[in-house]
Amino acid sequence: MANNKEATQTVEKAIKEEKVVKTEIKPDNKQEEIDFLRNQNAELQDAMKSLMAQFAELKNNMATPVAQSTSYNRNDEVTIVHLFDNAPGITTHIDLSNYSIDMAAFGEVRTLTVQQFEELVGRYRSWFDRGIIAVGAGSEYYARRNNLKMASESLISSEFIRKLGTLPMNEVQDIYEKVCDGQKDFIVSYWKRKFIEKVPEFRDLKKLQILNGFTNNAFEYEILELTTNK
């Protein structure tokens, strides 16, 4: 609003200055004066048209374009990201009025309309809160609007999953204690799955004993299996 007011004042000032310039010299003859005033009026009208065109252009330049990610638009698309890595044959299933979603792997992305996303938040908000799904890049406005976390804010990444079995256990514990309950469950279930698959680094007794200590005894069975076999 301030910029528009300044632009209007600039136009008015220019018109006043134009009038001053044009009326400084007046002819003595009456008819010449009349002709002079007619010419002056025509020139002022031309000047007014030119200035108003400049004013319109100035307003257009000052107008701030509304980006998709900074305002509500029902024609937008909203991305969601799957932050869980399910066992084979198991999916994270979402049912909406006119759309069903099944995601299995960590990092899977789905694109929804705003209406679908709003329904998703209404029906499955706890899944966002638990860190099972999150809002994807480019949809920041809708994350803020619904007070949801972005996938980029998650401490668990595909890199973390890839290195989980070889990470120092103090690093695993540090991340485990910082993430939400849903992602705590994910770390536990992923480790258990790799244990069943007999991946060596996930069957290390010392690691399991440390894990058991900060996961509320979640690995008692695995420890029992290893110690009994020995």
Side-chain angles (χ1 to χ4, degrees):
M1 291 295 291
N3 287 336
N4 287 347
K5 184 176 179 181
E6 290 174 6
T8 302
Q9 290 173 345
T10 300
V11 172
E12 291 174 349
K13 181 180 178 182
I15 293 172
K16 289 177 181 178
E17 290 175 350
E18 183 78 6
K19 286 181 179 179
V20 171
V21 171
K22 294 295 183 181
T23 56
E24 280 180 350
I25 302 173
K26 292 186 179 181
D28 295 330
N29 183 280
K30 192 67 175 177
Q31 185 58 46
E32 288 180 357
E33 183 176 353
I34 292 171
D35 293 339
F36 171 80
L37 290 173
R38 284 175 179 170
N39 290 334
Q40 181 188 50
N41 184 56
E43 290 173 0
L44 282 172
Q45 287 181 356
D46 289 341
M48 173 66 85
K49 289 179 182 178
S50 176
L51 288 169
M52 290 307 293
Q54 293 177 30
F55 178 56
E57 184 178 358
L58 179 62
K59 284 203 299 183
N60 288 334
N61 291 338
M62 288 190 299
T64 303
V66 179
Q68 178 175 327
S69 61
T70 60
S71 68
Y72 180 82
N73 184 337
R74 295 192 77 83
N75 295 319
D76 282 350
E77 291 183 333
V78 185
T79 59
I80 60 169
V81 182
H82 191 228
L83 298 181
F84 224 76
D85 195 77
N86 294 321
I90 298 176
T91 66
T92 299
H93 181 74
I94 296 172
D95 260 328
L96 303 177
S97 297
N98 60 353
Y99 190 48
S100 291
I101 303 170
D102 283 284
M103 294 180 286
F106 183 95
E108 281 190 56
V109 176
R110 293 291 185 274
T111 301
L112 308 176
T113 65
V114 173
Q115 293 91 331
Q116 289 169 336
F117 178 73
E118 289 173 338
E119 183 181 357
L120 173 66
V121 174
R123 290 190 179 191
Y124 296 92
R125 186 180 184 94
S126 64
W127 288 16
F128 287 96
D129 295 339
R130 292 179 59 204
I132 297 173
I133 53 178
V135 182
S139 301
E140 289 81 358
Y141 168 78
Y142 294 96
R144 292 194 304 271
R145 187 171 186 265
N146 292 280
N147 195 28
L148 300 173
K149 287 187 176 182
M150 299 291 297
S152 58
E153 297 178 68
S154 173
L155 293 175
I156 296 181
S157 63
S158 55
E159 180 73 3
F160 171 78
I161 297 170
R162 186 176 67 82
K163 293 181 176 180
L164 181 56
T166 57
L167 283 175
M169 293 310 295
N170 62 317
E171 290 186 26
V172 177
Q173 181 175 0
D174 182 59
I175 290 178
Y176 180 88
E177 291 176 348
K178 289 178 180 176
V179 298
C180 58
D181 290 343
Q183 293 191 325
K184 284 182 170 67
D185 293 342
F186 167 65
I187 292 173
V188 170
S189 63
Y190 185 83
W191 197 292
K192 284 177 176 287
R193 175 148 53 93
K194 293 301 178 181
F195 179 91
I196 293 171
E197 293 172 2
K198 299 189 182 299
V199 178
E201 55 264 35
F202 291 89
R203 294 177 67 86
D204 183 286
L205 181 58
K206 288 183 179 179
K207 288 182 180 179
L208 286 166
Q209 289 171 334
I210 296 171
L211 269 171
N212 198 55
F214 62 78
T215 60
N216 195 27
N217 299 323
F219 291 89
E220 284 183 317
Y221 173 82
E222 288 76 12
I223 292 172
L224 180 62
E225 179 181 327
L226 289 181
T227 53
T228 299
N229 288 342
K230 287 184 177 180

